[in-house]
Amino acid sequence: MDPISQSTENPEPQTPCEDQQNQLAIAQSSSFASISVSLSTILPTHFLLPRKISSLLASPHPCKVKIPSQISSLSHVSLSSSSSLSPSKPSFKSTISSNPLQSPLSLNPSRPSEPSNAAGIRRATVVWFRNDLRVHDNECLNSANNESMSVLPVYCFDPKDYGKSSSGFDKTGPYRATFLIESVSNLRKNLQARGSDLVVRIGKPETVLTELVKAIGAEAVYVHREVSHDEVKAEERIEAAMKDEGVEVKYFWGSTLYHVDDLPFKMGEMPSNYGGFKEKVQGLEIRKTIAALDQLRGLPSTGDVEPGEIPTLVDLGLNPTATLGQDGKPAANASLVGGETEALQRLTKFAAESRAQPNKGNNGNGNSIYGANFSCKISPWLAMGCLSPRAMFDELKKSVSPKISAAMNKKDGGSDTGLNWLMYELLWRDFFRFITKKYSSARQQSATQVAACAAV
């Protein structure tokens, strides 16, 4: 006779439901302890609710046993009878593995260094570099890194920018092309040093970017806006191509000292002369420089995108011997090395010399910014975006006396000497870019209106 049956005070025959009720009552203390031990090693304690289970098992309808959905949905719990045990002792056996690595209940894997705005994470993003060939003060690159799980930096050598113009001249000369190639190469090295890379292609940006977006399943293209007519048209083609793919194009601004969104007037009301512009922006705060990230997101794992080779002058249809002098040696202009690294080194050196010789700006000395060396010669790097105007402003601001701050706030513009003069050159540069944007936008709007009237 079963030992449990011997301990029962009522030896009278029992109905099947009564027998099952007794068996379940006995199982409460043993089986629940068993399942608690097997599940507690891998499940939080709040998943185990013995009180609720007991109340269900002790319900007035013992023939209908319900296992709570909180546990049944998490694991498969089976009732099995062992030959070595009495039939009155049901055994609860969990199929959940004790090894968390093999458990089907493993939690979602945590993403490494996940962005803070988890709700807006993109799986993959393309960053299209244009005239912003740098990693410092690059809001476009930083935003993509903070808002995406993976980032694919891309640069396109557009064939439309090379070859002969209608006048028979090179659209891009060999010197500029060489400087650009060096800048792109340096950008790739700086990205690689931060755990990323640069994909380089020769082709139409709208075609290249569409192929890459499809390959990696990108959800957005991040890019800095430009102002000239041809560059704005390129943006329109990209927008049309990405719209067909259901991919967002997100724009940023990073080519001027003052941010376009901070201007105290609408672009259509932009003064047409420098004096009016300077008066409007007098005392306007300059945004802080964005520091370069030490570590960037890795490239997307899907798509198997090859970085590609950086083209040579021959690949771009240019004659490499054009950069050589009659003696076969590199010409004087070839001494300008493109790239962010060179730009920052030149800026640091220039600022250090200015600090060491603060009064040489207006004495006619050949080592000053006047005379033979009338310029700091930093404009090629500013034009390519290897150097940020805000970064230059911050560095120069460290090199001058407090007089510069007072001069910047004077309505007459202050003295036109030394580093103070360079500050105003940056402001002139802003004026030209904003005035170009004003009339480029007006031309675009006028063309749209003409097309609309023609359609009517």
Side-chain angles (χ1 to χ4, degrees), residues 302-350:
T302 59
D304 295 329
V305 177
E306 294 292 334
E309 297 292 333
I310 297 178
T312 62
L313 290 178
V314 175
D315 297 330
L316 299 177
L318 297 172
N319 183 7
T321 60
T323 60
L324 301 178
Q326 295 180 353
D327 55 357
K329 297 180 180 180
N333 292 339
S335 61
L336 299 179
V337 179
E340 178 183 15
T341 302
E342 177 72 13
L344 293 176
Q345 289 176 353
R346 280 179 172 260
L347 177 60
T348 302
K349 181 180 178 181
F350 179 80

Side-chain angles (χ1 to χ4, degrees), residues 125-246:
T125 296
V126 170
V127 173
W128 178 26
F129 281 91
R130 303 168 80 187
N131 294 323
D132 54 345
L133 305 181
R134 63 180 185 269
V135 295
H136 77 274
D137 200 29
N138 194 319
E139 184 182 4
C140 180
L141 179 61
N142 283 34
S143 296
N145 188 80
N146 294 332
E147 299 171 6
S148 312
M149 294 302 300
S150 59
V151 178
L152 187 71
V154 180
Y155 184 85
C156 298
F157 286 87
D158 192 342
K160 293 192 300 296
D161 297 334
Y162 302 89
K164 299 293 184 180
S165 66
S166 58
S167 303
F169 296 99
D170 289 332
K171 293 181 179 179
T172 301
Y175 293 111
R176 180 180 175 85
T178 300
F179 192 91
L180 174 60
I181 290 172
E182 293 170 346
S183 299
V184 172
S185 178
N186 184 250
L187 175 62
R188 169 175 279 182
K189 291 179 181 179
N190 290 337
L191 290 173
Q192 290 174 343
R194 290 165 171 81
S196 183
D197 206 337
L198 180 66
V199 174
V200 178
R201 296 289 188 269
I202 301 177
K204 297 179 180 179
E206 59 269 24
T207 302
V208 171
L209 294 179
T210 300
E211 294 176 353
L212 294 175
V213 162
K214 290 181 178 179
I216 67 173
E219 301 173 21
V221 174
Y222 284 40
V223 57
H224 274 119
R225 276 198 182 277
E226 288 297 333
V227 297
S228 71
H229 177 262
D230 291 344
E231 291 165 326
V232 172
K233 286 295 183 182
E235 293 172 3
E236 293 177 358
R237 291 191 294 269
I238 291 295
E239 289 177 5
M242 293 302 108
K243 184 178 180 180
D244 294 339
E245 300 298 328

Side-chain angles (χ1 to χ4, degrees), residues 105-135:
L105 297 178
S106 58
L107 301 177
N108 292 331
S110 59
R111 299 177 175 128
S113 60
E114 191 166 302
S116 57
N117 56 337
I121 295 176
R122 304 180 190 274
R123 187 171 63 86
T125 296
V126 170
V127 173
W128 178 26
F129 281 91
R130 303 168 80 187
N131 294 323
D132 54 345
L133 305 181
R134 63 180 185 269
V135 295

Side-chain angles (χ1 to χ4, degrees), residues 281-294:
V281 300
Q282 196 72 41
L284 188 64
E285 184 178 357
I286 298 174
R287 293 191 181 187
K288 295 182 179 179
T289 302
I290 302 174
L293 295 174
D294 295 330

Side-chain angles (χ1 to χ4, degrees), residues 1-12 14 26 86 88:
M1 181 178 295
D2 188 280
I4 297 179
S5 301
Q6 290 179 355
S7 62
T8 308
E9 295 181 358
N10 186 8
E12 295 180 1
Q14 300 175 342
I26 296 170
S86 170
S88 59

